[in-house]
Amino acid sequence: MTGEQMKKKVIKIALLLIVVVLVLCSGYLLMALNWSYSKGDRVGYVQKFSEKGWLCKTWEGELQMLPVPGALPEKFLFSVRDKAVINRINSSIGKKVSLSYEQHKGIPTNCFGESEYFAVDAKVLE
């Protein structure tokens, strides 16, 4: 094998490795964003809801959950990706809401949301 053939072979192997790494990373990201670890509902008042970020703008919220009498209030931090849910939450600020969420563990960057809890629906209860 000549030096030129060897060079071409090394380039092909390097390109193949790059493609394999990109495919694996994309598959992991798709799995982390689309399969939920847990699902549930939280009830309370949306205390804070805003679009945040320097480069990656995400909608982040804070739900003040209704405590049992005598207990301290608890905050539930969440992110939202769906525009329809963003509009429902914006129109429900200050009202008692039921927030349906999905938990996605292992999301590699906060460009998709600062929290691992993603609100998928919001219903006004008052």
Side-chain angles (χ1 to χ4, degrees):
M1 229 196 276
T2 67
E4 186 66 31
Q5 290 173 332
M6 189 69 140
K7 212 181 219 184
K8 286 182 181 181
K9 189 172 184 175
V10 168
I11 290 173
K12 284 182 183 180
I13 291 173
L15 288 175
L16 181 65
L17 281 174
I18 291 171
V19 168
V20 166
V21 167
L22 286 175
V23 167
L24 289 174
C25 289
S26 298
Y28 175 77
L29 186 60
L30 281 171
M31 187 177 72
L33 288 173
N34 291 314
W35 287 346
S36 65
Y37 175 75
S38 70
K39 296 178 183 185
D41 295 301
R42 302 275 176 122
V43 175
Y45 294 89
V46 177
Q47 189 170 323
K48 193 188 308 184
F49 191 59
S50 60
E51 189 176 26
K52 295 170 117 181
W54 292 102
L55 185 60
C56 303
K57 296 283 190 185
T58 60
W59 281 90
E60 306 298 325
E62 185 177 290
L63 184 76
Q64 183 75 37
M65 293 192 319
L66 301 173
V68 198
L72 292 173
E74 187 180 339
K75 292 178 185 176
F76 176 68
L77 303 176
F78 62 93
S79 302
V80 185
R81 297 187 304 197
D82 186 355
K83 296 243 186 253
V85 177
I86 291 168
N87 292 333
R88 280 198 294 276
I89 291 173
N90 271 326
S91 67
S92 70
I93 291 178
K95 300 174 185 171
K96 186 177 177 181
V97 296
S98 172
L99 199 66
S100 298
Y101 69 90
E102 293 179 351
Q103 182 181 11
H104 294 270
K105 288 190 169 276
I107 295 178
T109 176
N110 61 357
C111 273
F112 301 100
E114 291 181 4
S115 167
E116 64 183 30
Y117 298 98
F118 291 90
V120 293
D121 195 14
K123 296 176 192 147
V124 176
L125 299 179
E126 291 181 347

